[in-house]
């Protein structure tokens, strides 16, 4: 999840919501609101509001803007036996605060940037080539030696069913549009570098803007 890849998605999600202000030319004239269908939120100027005008905030794992609210509901550290990798499992909810527009939870989740230290340097977890499976971490089909748990046929079959069910359900929710005024709950997985140092999360509205005030820290011990 590279923050630089967010610009196009952000413009699509945010620009459609920005309308120009009403104006009055005389006592006989009436106010008329004109909606701009494509505003470049990355260009500062009186006529084109920037992303700072969205009054965004990020506190205690809750990312709020005028358009949506993303809340980190809970987290869990998991181990993927098959890929031999550790990851952070993030259950989150996205609320659509608009009256007419729709957007996907997975697109909103990409506005969060995850980093972690190894004691010497800070690394972007978004840039890592993830080989962490949430499904395998929660419903393991393999043992610690990467062998299928075929000696436990019933447990293996249950794990297969649980993994398939979770993958289908959560992916469907994450990639379905949230209706105006509604909330969708789903989950995402982030591969981590270690289970010693905390994962830090910042929220962004644009690659050209600094991070929204606030940082959320998750202990992964």
């Amino acid at each position: 999840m590279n923050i630089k890849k967010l610009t196009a998605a952000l413009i699509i999600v945010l620009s459609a919501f920005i309308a120009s202000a009403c104006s009055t030319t005389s006592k006989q004239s009436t106010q008329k609101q004109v909606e701009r269908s494509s505003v470049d939120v990355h260009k500062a100027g009186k006529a084109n509001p920037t992303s700072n005008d969205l009054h965004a905030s990020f506190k205690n794992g809750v990312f709020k803007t005028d358009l949506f609210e993303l809340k980190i509901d809970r987290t869990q550290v998991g181990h993927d036996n098959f890929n031999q990798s550790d990851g952070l499992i993030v259950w989150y909810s996205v609320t659509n605060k608009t009256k007419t527009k729709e957007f996907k939870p997975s697109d909103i989740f990409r506005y969060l940037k995850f980093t972690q230290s190894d004691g010497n340097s800070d690394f972007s977890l978004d840039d890592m080539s993830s080989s962490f499976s949430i499904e395998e971490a929660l419903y393991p089909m393999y043992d610690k030696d990467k062998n299928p748990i075929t000696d436990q046929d019933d447990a293996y079959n249950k794990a297969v069913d649980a993994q398939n069910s979770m993958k289908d359900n959560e992916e469907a929710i994450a990639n379905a549009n949230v209706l105006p005024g509604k909330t969708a709950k789903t989950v995402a997985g982030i591969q981590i570098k270690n289970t010693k140092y905390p994962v830090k999360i910042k929220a962004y509205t644009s690659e050209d803007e600094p991070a929204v005030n606030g940082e959320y820290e998750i202990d992964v011990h």
Side-chain angles (χ1 to χ4, degrees):
M1 280 192 311
N2 193 320
I3 192 66
K4 292 185 177 179
K5 296 180 181 178
L6 300 181
T7 304
L10 179 62
I11 293 176
I12 293 174
V13 175
L14 301 184
S15 62
F17 302 99
I18 302 177
S20 64
C22 299
S23 62
T24 303
T25 57
S26 66
K27 292 183 179 180
Q28 288 76 26
S29 65
T30 58
Q31 289 184 324
K32 185 176 182 181
Q33 190 176 50
V34 180
E35 182 177 357
R36 294 195 178 113
S37 59
S38 57
V39 175
D40 186 350
V41 297
H42 304 309
K43 292 183 178 180
K46 294 181 180 179
N48 291 329
T50 68
S51 54
N52 287 332
D53 292 303
L54 296 174
H55 308 294
S57 67
F58 186 48
K59 184 178 181 181
N60 298 325
V62 180
F63 181 26
K64 294 182 179 181
T65 74
D66 295 334
L67 311 177
F68 62 80
E69 177 178 302
L70 185 158
K71 179 182 179 183
I72 297 177
D73 298 313
R74 63 189 178 98
T75 61
Q76 176 182 331
V77 177
H79 181 75
D80 177 345
N81 287 332
F82 181 76
N83 292 298
Q84 295 295 297
S85 59
D86 295 311
L88 181 66
I89 305 171
V90 182
W91 283 268
Y92 68 99
S93 55
V94 172
T95 299
N96 185 343
K97 297 167 67 174
T98 75
K99 294 182 179 180
T100 60
K101 305 301 180 181
E102 302 175 4
F103 39 76
K104 299 175 182 179
S106 57
D107 288 338
I108 303 302
F109 189 78
R110 293 189 180 99
Y111 300 153
L112 301 182
K113 182 175 177 64
F114 295 74
T115 60
Q116 187 182 34
S117 171
D118 67 351
N120 296 310
S121 305
D122 285 329
F123 295 89
S124 171
L125 301 183
D126 310 295
D127 295 332
M128 291 177 61
S129 178
S130 180
S131 59
F132 173 74
S133 167
I134 304 174
E135 295 80 18
E136 177 61 28
L138 294 176
Y139 308 104
M141 294 166 48
Y142 298 86
D143 60 24
K144 62 181 181 179
D145 297 317
K146 298 180 64 174
N147 298 315
I149 52 177
T150 52
D151 58 330
Q152 307 173 42
D153 290 338
D154 187 50
Y156 182 84
N157 291 332
K158 287 183 177 179
V160 171
D161 291 340
Q163 284 200 25
N164 289 335
S165 177
M166 181 178 186
K167 186 176 181 64
D168 292 342
N169 292 337
E170 298 301 336
E171 282 191 357
I173 295 173
N175 294 302
N177 287 329
V178 184
L179 297 175
K182 301 299 182 179
T183 299
K185 294 178 177 289
T186 186
V187 64
I190 308 293
Q191 185 174 346
I192 59 179
K193 295 189 70 67
N194 57 71
T195 56
K196 180 179 180 181
Y197 295 95
V199 170
K200 297 180 180 181
I201 308 174
K202 291 185 178 181
Y204 291 78
T205 58
S206 163
E207 67 170 293
D208 299 324
E209 301 287 349
V212 175
N213 289 339
E215 181 179 80
Y216 191 54
E217 187 172 296
I218 300 174
D219 188 0
V220 295
H221 286 168

